[in-house]
Amino acid sequence: TQMKKQPKKLNQVEQLKNGIRVHANNLPSYYHVAVDYQIQQLKLEDMKLNPHAQQRQSERVATREDMVDVLLKGYLIEIHIRNNTRTVLKSYKLTDTYRLTVAFDLETKTITTMYYNDLEQIHKQNKKKYLAERLNRSKQVDRLLLGLPKQFD
């Protein structure tokens, strides 16, 4: 039998540029630390919510303080790049029964959506959108995931 020709597998940098999501489990710890450090440096007073996030917020009462808690104390679940902007998903258990997950655009400091208590579900429905193996650290990946210094003047 003749082998079907596989389409050329994109390397990790190309996949990142194409918006592949990197789940925390496949993200080297260096990036967990570095991205969290960058979030700590942002002035979150001017954090914005896009209309979708405002709609989600109104469905359940999540305060700005809750969202800031998630960003500062929460666990980084994934990161991806779309339209040259980096978005992180972070999650934090605010009370015994209540976990809030926010998607946050690091460049514009905008919360783009939020979820309540349904982490696993998010991942199950999006398997194909995730990088299939562990991300390797490189200068190119640093530049993509950590942004360029000019964004943090």
Side-chain angles (χ1 to χ4, degrees):
T1 55
Q2 190 164 3
M3 290 286 289
K4 258 231 275 298
K5 224 173 126 200
Q6 287 293 321
K8 188 179 158 302
K9 195 167 166 300
L10 292 179
N11 71 36
Q12 290 188 337
V13 169
E14 290 163 339
Q15 290 185 74
L16 280 175
K17 287 178 177 167
N18 287 348
I20 196 90
R21 298 163 179 229
V22 185
H23 189 279
N25 300 345
N26 282 328
L27 193 66
S29 59
Y30 172 80
Y31 292 117
H32 282 265
V33 173
V35 169
D36 274 343
Y37 177 76
Q38 286 185 344
I39 293 171
Q40 307 282 343
Q41 304 309 303
L42 294 173
K43 293 193 181 69
L44 292 176
E45 304 83 79
D46 38 7
M47 169 184 85
K48 299 182 284 289
L49 276 72
N50 73 2
H52 176 69
Q54 287 169 15
Q55 171 63 39
R56 297 290 306 212
Q57 180 190 20
S58 68
E59 291 164 15
R60 305 232 190 139
V61 186
T63 63
R64 280 184 74 87
E65 287 76 34
D66 290 341
M67 294 171 219
V68 169
D69 274 349
V70 174
L71 291 173
L72 294 181
K73 303 175 189 167
Y75 180 70
L76 183 70
I77 296 170
E78 71 169 62
I79 185 165
H80 68 263
I81 297 162
R82 205 170 288 134
N83 312 327
N84 292 321
T85 188
R86 298 169 300 143
T87 296
V88 292
L89 215 59
K90 291 198 76 177
S91 184
Y92 187 61
K93 210 166 171 193
L94 291 161
T95 68
D96 284 350
T97 52
Y98 176 62
R99 172 183 290 283
L100 180 64
T101 302
V102 299
F104 181 66
D105 175 330
L106 285 158
E107 266 65 61
T108 61
K109 295 201 278 195
T110 303
I111 289 186
T112 52
T113 190
M114 60 187 85
Y115 309 90
Y116 302 92
N117 300 327
D118 58 355
L119 269 190
E120 286 316 305
Q121 182 199 332
I122 302 166
H123 291 135
K124 285 197 187 80
Q125 63 205 22
N126 285 329
K127 271 283 187 281
K128 289 218 170 28
K129 298 180 184 170
Y130 286 90
L131 187 69
E133 70 280 326
R134 190 162 177 80
L135 183 66
N136 298 310
R137 189 179 169 198
S138 70
K139 282 212 170 76
Q140 277 178 298
V141 173
D142 278 5
R143 276 202 295 277
L144 287 170
L145 289 194
L146 303 179
L148 296 165
K150 67 176 167 51
Q151 287 158 332
F152 291 94
D153 291 348

